[in-house]
Amino acid sequence: MEQVKVPQQANWMVRKIIKAKHLLEQNNVHICREKEVIKHIYLQLLGDQPRMPWKCLMFGNAARPKAKFTVLLQMQNRLLTADRLNKWGMQVEGKHSLCQREEETKDHLFVECDYTKTVMQKLMHWTQNQNIVAATWDQHVHEVIKRAKGKSKEAQLFKMLYSEVVHSIWIERNKRIFEKISIGWEKIAKEIACVCYVRAPPRLVDIVQRNRF
């Protein structure tokens, strides 16, 4: 079968899809309706590349796609925080917009900032889970991965909740910078709880419904 040429005007996503299709054809991977087909395709495309320990946050996650995408960027250190932009020579405000205390870095935004910690603590209390306690980014990621691993109800709820927190914190940060508007942490936490309540799959409904926010 003749390979489809990648159009010159195609965006990066279309190029990735066509490239993946070519790779699967080269490896004689046939698309079928077997239960493990997605896993099989994933492993074929991954090849000899190392498995990312945070992949558990991507699979079986009922969070909104845009929330999972934000977590993907977060874990790959690709969010455009102030410290990264300044290193590239762009003159931007270095103070973190949520607390106005420290320089905005990935570590401060998701690990050290009191605003973020308060939102997470409220939601952990809502789901009757212990709050994430970490002094460094590596400790934070280790704890997140540990809680998100497995197929238990608690793991599925945590990865959905964590993804929505990361996304909401990032959106709030952007609104304060570009739109000059801010929302209190109580409202953000409540909105995240509502999203999780609506998106919870059947096996998680009993968990999100048994506790009042």
Side-chain angles (χ1 to χ4, degrees):
M1 183 181 295
E2 185 179 354
Q3 289 189 348
V4 178
K5 293 184 178 180
V6 181
Q8 292 296 324
Q9 68 275 19
N11 60 31
W12 68 271
M13 185 176 293
V14 173
R15 291 175 178 273
K16 286 289 186 180
I17 292 173
I18 296 178
K19 183 179 178 181
K21 181 176 182 295
H22 291 169
L23 183 59
L24 292 175
E25 290 174 347
Q26 291 172 4
N27 288 276
N28 295 318
V29 178
H30 301 287
I31 306 299
C32 59
R33 294 186 177 181
E34 295 178 4
K35 183 178 180 181
E36 300 294 329
V37 64
I38 295 179
K39 179 180 179 181
H40 183 56
I41 293 174
Y42 169 75
L43 293 176
Q44 286 288 336
L45 293 175
L46 190 62
D48 296 330
Q49 299 182 54
R51 275 60 170 168
M52 294 295 101
W54 44 261
K55 69 181 186 297
C56 57
L57 289 166
M58 299 294 108
F59 299 105
N61 190 340
R64 293 172 295 178
K66 58 184 178 182
K68 290 190 287 186
F69 183 69
T70 304
V71 171
L72 178 65
L73 296 179
Q74 177 209 34
M75 290 293 163
Q76 293 180 326
N77 194 26
R78 296 179 65 182
L79 291 175
L80 299 181
T81 50
D83 65 318
R84 293 192 68 205
L85 295 175
N86 284 323
K87 287 179 181 178
W88 294 346
M90 300 179 64
Q91 299 300 318
V92 299
E93 173 59 47
K95 291 292 184 181
H96 181 36
S97 59
L98 298 183
C99 66
Q100 292 295 328
R101 294 179 182 176
E102 303 290 339
E103 180 186 7
E104 183 185 85
T105 64
K106 174 184 84 277
D107 298 45
H108 181 73
L109 181 59
F110 296 109
V111 181
E112 302 166 358
C113 178
D114 290 337
Y115 187 97
T116 303
K117 288 194 291 186
T118 303
V119 172
M120 181 60 75
Q121 184 175 8
K122 176 64 176 178
L123 291 165
M124 289 293 102
H125 178 74
W126 171 55
T127 55
Q128 296 186 352
N129 284 306
Q130 291 184 345
N131 192 32
I132 298 177
V133 179
T136 66
W137 171 252
D138 289 339
Q139 291 176 3
H140 177 82
V141 172
H142 175 77
E143 182 66 21
V144 168
I145 292 173
K146 184 175 71 173
R147 296 195 189 192
K149 275 187 175 180
K151 298 181 180 180
S152 66
K153 292 182 179 180
E154 291 74 20
Q156 286 191 325
L157 177 59
F158 175 80
K159 68 179 71 177
M160 174 174 63
L161 190 65
Y162 181 78
S163 300
E164 294 295 343
V165 169
V166 170
H167 179 70
S168 297
I169 291 297
W170 184 247
I171 293 300
E172 173 64 11
R173 174 260 189 196
N174 290 340
K175 284 183 177 180
R176 293 195 181 197
I177 293 175
F178 302 112
E179 301 178 31
K180 307 303 180 184
I181 58 176
S182 61
I183 302 176
W185 69 264
E186 299 96 336
K187 185 175 181 180
I188 288 204
K190 188 173 183 179
E191 288 177 351
I192 293 171
C194 289
V195 169
C196 292
Y197 184 91
V198 172
R199 295 190 63 85
R203 71 188 303 251
L204 298 183
V205 171
D206 61 321
I207 300 180
V208 297
Q209 287 184 350
R210 71 188 179 193
N211 301 318
R212 296 188 62 182
F213 185 78

